């Protein structure tokens, strides 16, 4: 049977009526050509205008620095996840370059064909406009900032080793200049033939250096300098400091012209080529646009701390690094168009509705028969408790000071941390509610995930290390000589008087690659090939930290186990001997079951200590090399102290609290003593 033809779709219908004759096709081509010719100028104008439209991208990792070419066609972002990302004016990702550490500084030449980057891996990188590495130079300490001359021929870099380094286009080091403290910001103006280097350091001093590295002037400010920018001629220099000030300096002699109070540490600054406009970003998430006299033209809260600012030299657009976002902002009518932060109306309304629902449910339950009975039961319990408290009021009165101190110094900080985990928080400045945004950032934080895996290794090996004090406690307990038992017990406990930091630093010396005991012993044994830079090699750094404290006879764990053994009634040991139980059988069937209470305690404390591990990593590797030894507590510390992300640090603390609480509950639920006895 024949099929009924299906009706034509609109698209098929249009295809059916397209001209099929040669003349018709020519007519269509002529019309299309005429339309294209008429719209070509409009297309060009639209393309030029489209790239100037504002955009905002969440890059999934904290953006520490930003740079822009003179025409704004290349925008660079230096990120915490060891990447440099390049975008065009429309926000399209052009390329990415990966380093071995967080990128603290990026710079680009006016034409966008030369790029420099300062990385946590102690390298300065020099790239071409397509992101290809041309050279890199290794330093003694982390490079914190970098700057390029307008032609890309001069690279200046600041380092934690208190030095300013100058390199030429080929990567040759031309000179270094020693400052009084870590160099936090650098800027270059001029070109290969004539240039100057401006720098700011943590000791609150601004410097101007000549092309041959000679100090031209030095100007002390009130606080540590966090950011620096200079006009192309060097006439004006703007410096942001940790004391909440934006300072304009005369580039000729360094004399301060004015200081603006930003009410939060200033972490990023930029200045227009003519010096008539200054932009500053703060740790509190505020961007200020100031005129030449330091007066506010625009003030905008953008939701997260501002780490970097870059003005396109020949265009009024502004690139902003804020938290994990990179924004490109347009300029119109003398002000910038900012993306408004998330409104607090929704969370406040949701909380209000939830409270009303709970109150309504309580009232409704109160009016039912079963609710009335339960209400009266709880009412009687409350009255009974109240009478007991009043009867013992003197005892509770004496407990009040201790309770008050606990509330102020223990419970309030913990509660405050959980509350601020849902906010952007700058202590002393303000708090802004952002809901679960901090936790979404944590999900994409590769350092936290690496730290979590390392924490699992630390916890697991920490549990295994409990075998050493358990074995020593057994050996001491079963010694027949009381004097020898007492002497050995004392010798193992004496290390408790040595501060933990001293022990960690001792192991740092043991691991020293040149004079350390570990490598010296291997060389003496003829095992030269086994020597390592133990704390500087990604393959060995974490295991070197785990090995610290060998033979792992913790005095505290030893005392806990020994105390458990001496509390076991002697009749049980006599009965085991009568039954013919040997030493190993007695350990498995008698000692171990009766020590489960002590084991549970040490497992809980070991779990908490492993999750919160910080001191050993911080004092040995600082989380490096790269991210090989990162742990969650170290990430919390860096976010709070180094990056001023107190809200994000609070979110990490809240997560650790939940993990510790869950692990403790599981431990108490499933690790129970199988034998109960009374003495």
């Amino acid at each position: 049977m024949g099929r009924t033809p299906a009706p034509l779709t609109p698209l098929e219908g249009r295809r059916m009526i397209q001209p099929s004759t040669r003349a018709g096709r020519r007519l269509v081509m002529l019309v299309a050509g005429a339309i294209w010719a008429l719209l070509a100028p409009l297309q060009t104008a639209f393309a030029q205008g489209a790239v100037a439209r504002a955009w905002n991208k969440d890059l999934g990792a904290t953006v520490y620095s930003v740079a822009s070419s003179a025409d704004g066609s290349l925008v660079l972002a230096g990120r915490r996840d060891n990447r440099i990302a390049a975008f065009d004016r429309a926000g399209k990702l052009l390329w990415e370059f990966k380093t071995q550490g967080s990128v603290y500084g990026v710079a680009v030449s006016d034409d966008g064909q030369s790029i420099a980057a300062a990385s946590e891996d102690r390298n300065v990188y020099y790239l071409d406009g397509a992101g290809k590495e041309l050279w890199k130079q290794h330093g003694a300490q982390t490079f914190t900032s970098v700057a390029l001359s307008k032609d890309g021929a001069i690279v200046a870099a600041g380092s934690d080793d208190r030095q300013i380094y100058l390199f030429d286009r080929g990567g040759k080091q031309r000179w270094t200049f020693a400052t009084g403290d870590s160099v936090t910001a650098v800027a270059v103006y001029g070109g290969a033939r004539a240039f100057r280097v401006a720098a700011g350091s943590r000791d609150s001093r601004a410097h101007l250096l000549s092309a041959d590295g000679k100090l031209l002037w030095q100007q002390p400010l009130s606080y540590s300098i966090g950011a620096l920018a200079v006009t192309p001629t060097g006439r004006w220099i703007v410096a942001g400091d940790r004391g909440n000030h934006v300072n304009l300096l005369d580039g000729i002699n360094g004399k301060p012209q004015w200081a603006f109070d930003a009410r939060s540490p200033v972490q990023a600054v930029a200045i227009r080529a003519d010096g008539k406009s200054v932009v500053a970003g703060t740790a509190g998430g505020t961007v200020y646009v100031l005129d030449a006299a330091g007066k506010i033209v625009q003030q905008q809260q953008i939701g997260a701390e501002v780490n970097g600012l870059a003005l396109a030299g020949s265009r009024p657009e502004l690139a902003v690094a804020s938290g994990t976002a990179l924004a490109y902002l347009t300029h119109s009518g003398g002000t910038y168009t900012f993306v408004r932060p998330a409104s607090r109306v929704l969370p406040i309304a949701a909380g209000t509705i939830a409270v009303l629902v709970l109150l309504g449910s309580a009232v409704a339950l109160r009016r039912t028969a079963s609710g009335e009975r339960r209400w009266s039961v709880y009412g009687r319990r409350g009255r009974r408790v109240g009478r007991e408290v009043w009867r013992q009021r003197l005892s509770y009165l004496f407990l009040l000071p201790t309770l008050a101190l606990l509330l102020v110094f223990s419970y309030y900080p913990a509660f405050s941390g959980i509350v601020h985990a849902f906010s952007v928080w700058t202590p002393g400045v303000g708090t802004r509610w952002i809901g679960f945004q901090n936790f979404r950032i944590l999900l994409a934080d590769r350092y936290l995930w690496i730290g979590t895996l390392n924490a699992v290794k630390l916890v697991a090996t920490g549990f295994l290390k409990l075998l050493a004090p358990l074995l020593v406690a057994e050996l001491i307990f079963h010694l027949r000589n009381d004097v020898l038992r007492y002497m050995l017990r004392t010798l193992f406990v004496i290390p408790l008087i040595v501060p933990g930091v001293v022990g960690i630093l001792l192991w740092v010396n043991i691991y020293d690659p040149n004079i350390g005991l570990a490598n010296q012993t291997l060389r003496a044994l003829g095992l030269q090939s086994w020597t390592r830079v133990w704390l500087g090699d990604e393959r060995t750094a974490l295991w070197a930290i785990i090995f610290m404290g060998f033979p792992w006879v913790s005095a505290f764990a030893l005392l806990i186990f020994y105390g458990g053994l001496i509390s076991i009634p002697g009749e049980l040991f006599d009965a085991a001997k009568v039954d013919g139980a040997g030493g190993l059988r007695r350990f498995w069937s008698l000692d171990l079951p009766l020590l489960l209470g002590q084991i549970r305690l040490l497992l809980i404390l070991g779990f908490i200590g492993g999750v919160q591990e910080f001191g050993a990593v911080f004092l040995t590797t600082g989380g490096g090399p790269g991210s090989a030894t990162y742990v969650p507590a170290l990430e919390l510390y860096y976010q709070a102290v180094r990056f001023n992300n107190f809200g994000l640090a609070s979110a990490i603390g809240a997560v650790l609290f939940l993990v510790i609480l869950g692990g403790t509950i599981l431990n108490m639920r499933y690790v129970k003593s199988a034998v109960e006895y009374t003495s």
Side-chain angles (χ1 to χ4, degrees):
M1 294 178 63
R3 293 183 177 178
T4 303
L8 294 176
T9 65
L11 179 59
E12 291 170 338
R14 287 196 294 271
R15 290 174 178 171
M16 291 291 292
I17 62 174
Q18 286 180 353
S20 58
T21 63
R22 182 176 301 177
R25 286 195 296 270
R26 288 178 180 175
L27 179 60
V28 170
M29 293 174 64
L30 288 173
V31 172
I35 293 174
W36 182 87
L38 290 172
L39 295 180
L42 296 178
Q43 291 171 347
T44 303
F46 176 78
Q48 293 174 348
V51 295
R53 289 185 295 179
W55 48 266
N56 194 323
K57 293 182 177 294
D58 189 340
L59 304 187
T62 302
V63 183
Y64 288 147
S65 53
V66 65
S68 173
S69 60
D71 60 358
S73 60
L74 184 65
V75 180
L76 301 174
R79 297 172 7 199
R80 186 165 185 251
D81 60 352
N82 308 351
R83 283 174 170 79
I84 304 169
F87 300 87
D88 63 14
R89 277 202 301 268
K92 178 183 177 182
L93 180 64
L94 301 177
W95 50 263
E96 286 190 341
F97 177 82
K98 185 176 181 181
T99 67
Q100 297 301 312
S102 299
V103 182
Y104 290 144
V106 289
V108 60
S109 59
D110 282 358
D111 60 6
Q113 296 305 307
S114 300
I115 296 164
S119 176
E120 188 184 26
D121 61 9
R122 304 184 181 184
N123 287 317
V124 171
Y125 294 86
Y126 191 83
L127 317 175
D128 63 15
K132 179 182 177 181
E133 181 183 322
L134 301 179
W135 55 261
K136 66 179 178 181
Q137 289 289 345
H138 192 71
Q141 295 291 333
T142 297
F143 285 102
T144 57
S145 54
V146 71
L148 269 177
S149 61
K150 62 181 182 180
D151 57 2
I154 300 298
V155 182
S159 173
D160 272 341
D161 66 358
R162 307 182 180 184
Q163 301 281 339
I164 301 170
Y165 294 80
L166 193 86
F167 306 95
D168 60 21
R169 189 192 300 272
K172 180 181 178 181
Q173 181 177 312
R174 295 176 56 170
W175 50 260
T176 63
F177 178 84
T179 64
D181 207 334
S182 298
V183 182
T184 52
V186 291
V188 177
Y189 67 88
R193 296 184 178 180
F195 66 90
R196 297 285 186 271
V197 177
S201 56
R202 196 164 55 186
D203 61 357
S204 312
R205 299 180 184 274
H207 312 75
L208 186 69
L209 309 176
S210 65
D212 56 356
K214 303 298 183 182
L215 181 65
L216 300 177
W217 56 255
Q218 179 177 272
Q219 177 63 45
L221 300 179
S222 300
Y223 297 90
S224 173
I225 297 175
L228 199 72
V230 61
T231 57
T233 62
R235 183 64 183 87
W236 303 110
I237 297 174
V238 60
D241 63 42
R242 296 291 181 182
N244 309 344
H245 294 104
V246 181
N247 306 273
L248 185 70
L249 308 178
D250 189 326
I252 298 176
N253 52 31
K255 298 299 182 183
Q257 303 301 300
W258 50 257
F260 170 78
D261 186 1
R263 300 183 180 180
S264 183
V266 180
Q267 301 187 153
V269 292
I271 185 169
R272 289 287 299 272
D274 55 9
K276 294 182 178 180
S277 179
V278 172
V279 186
T282 71
T286 303
V287 173
Y288 294 94
V289 181
L290 311 174
D291 62 15
K295 305 299 182 182
I296 296 179
V297 176
Q298 184 180 4
Q299 175 180 343
Q300 182 68 46
Q301 175 64 238
I302 62 174
E305 66 168 350
V306 180
N307 295 319
L309 295 169
L311 283 165
S314 60
R315 301 176 65 89
E317 281 76 35
L318 175 68
V320 181
S322 174
T324 62
L326 174 65
Y328 192 77
L329 309 177
T330 57
H331 186 271
S332 176
T335 60
Y336 290 94
T337 302
F338 287 85
V339 178
R340 293 287 180 182
S343 174
R344 298 179 62 178
V345 174
L346 183 59
I348 293 175
T352 303
I353 292 173
V355 171
L356 292 176
V357 169
L358 289 174
L359 291 176
S361 300
V363 172
L365 180 62
R366 173 70 172 82
R367 294 180 179 275
T368 63
S370 59
E372 179 71 25
R373 290 193 298 270
R374 189 164 295 276
W375 194 278
S376 62
V377 169
Y378 283 111
R380 286 197 301 272
R381 291 179 181 174
R383 290 190 296 271
R384 188 182 305 116
V385 171
R387 286 195 298 268
E388 291 295 330
V389 170
W390 178 252
R391 186 177 296 114
Q392 304 295 333
R393 58 187 179 276
L394 187 60
S395 300
Y396 285 104
L397 183 63
F398 284 116
L399 287 174
L400 277 180
T402 302
L403 181 61
L405 292 174
L406 285 173
L407 289 174
V408 172
F409 295 105
S410 294
Y411 293 103
Y412 173 73
F415 178 75
S416 174
I418 293 175
V419 171
H420 286 110
F422 300 91
S423 67
V424 174
W425 177 34
T426 302
V429 176
T431 303
R432 188 174 60 82
W433 177 272
I434 58 172
F436 289 93
Q437 181 177 332
N438 283 331
F439 295 94
R440 287 194 293 269
I441 294 174
L442 293 182
L443 289 176
D445 189 342
R446 60 181 293 270
Y447 285 90
L448 186 63
W449 288 108
I450 293 173
T452 300
L453 179 60
N454 290 338
V456 171
K457 296 177 181 178
L458 290 172
V459 170
T461 53
F463 289 163
L464 293 176
K465 290 178 181 179
L466 291 177
L467 295 176
L470 175 60
L471 176 61
V472 173
E474 285 281 347
L475 294 176
I476 294 176
F477 176 72
H478 290 291
L479 287 174
R480 296 186 178 182
N481 189 310
D482 292 339
V483 176
L484 182 60
R485 182 191 303 158
Y486 178 80
M487 291 179 58
L488 288 176
R489 185 177 61 198
T490 304
L491 288 175
F492 276 109
V493 173
I494 283 177
L496 277 176
I497 66 175
V498 179
V501 173
V502 174
I504 293 172
L505 295 179
L506 176 64
W507 277 92
V508 171
N509 288 329
I510 291 175
Y511 286 135
D512 187 280
N514 299 314
I515 62 172
L517 180 63
N519 281 348
Q520 292 287 2
T521 302
L522 291 173
R523 293 188 185 102
L525 295 175
L527 301 174
Q528 180 75 27
S529 60
W530 288 21
T531 59
R532 295 286 186 276
V533 182
W534 299 101
L535 295 173
D537 189 332
E538 292 186 357
R539 297 169 297 178
T540 61
L542 182 63
W543 296 108
I545 293 174
I546 292 173
F547 191 80
M548 286 167 52
F550 181 82
W552 312 307
V553 183
S554 166
F556 177 74
L558 174 63
L559 290 177
I560 294 294
F561 283 130
Y562 188 79
L565 289 171
I566 62 177
S567 65
I568 299 176
E571 295 84 355
L572 297 179
F573 293 110
D574 295 337
K577 186 182 298 184
V578 171
D579 291 339
L584 186 60
R585 177 66 176 175
R586 184 185 59 205
F587 172 77
W588 284 108
S589 300
L590 183 62
D591 296 1
L592 198 59
L594 295 177
L595 287 175
L596 281 180
Q598 286 74 19
I599 293 174
R600 179 173 63 183
L601 171 64
L602 292 174
L603 287 178
I604 292 174
L605 296 178
F607 175 75
I608 295 174
V611 172
Q612 295 181 337
E613 179 59 60
F614 168 78
V617 175
F618 181 74
L619 292 172
T620 54
T621 64
S627 56
T629 59
Y630 248 81
V631 289
L634 186 68
E635 174 71 352
L636 187 156
Y637 171 81
Y638 281 157
Q639 289 292 345
V641 177
R642 179 181 290 184
F643 311 131
N644 297 316
N645 292 331
F646 290 96
L648 195 60
S650 298
I652 298 175
V655 172
L656 294 182
F657 166 75
L658 293 176
V659 171
I660 291 173
L661 179 63
T664 303
I665 292 174
L666 289 176
N667 189 304
M668 297 182 68
R669 172 68 177 82
Y670 293 105
V671 182
K672 291 186 176 182
S673 178
V675 179
E676 298 291 340
Y677 63 90
T678 58
S679 57

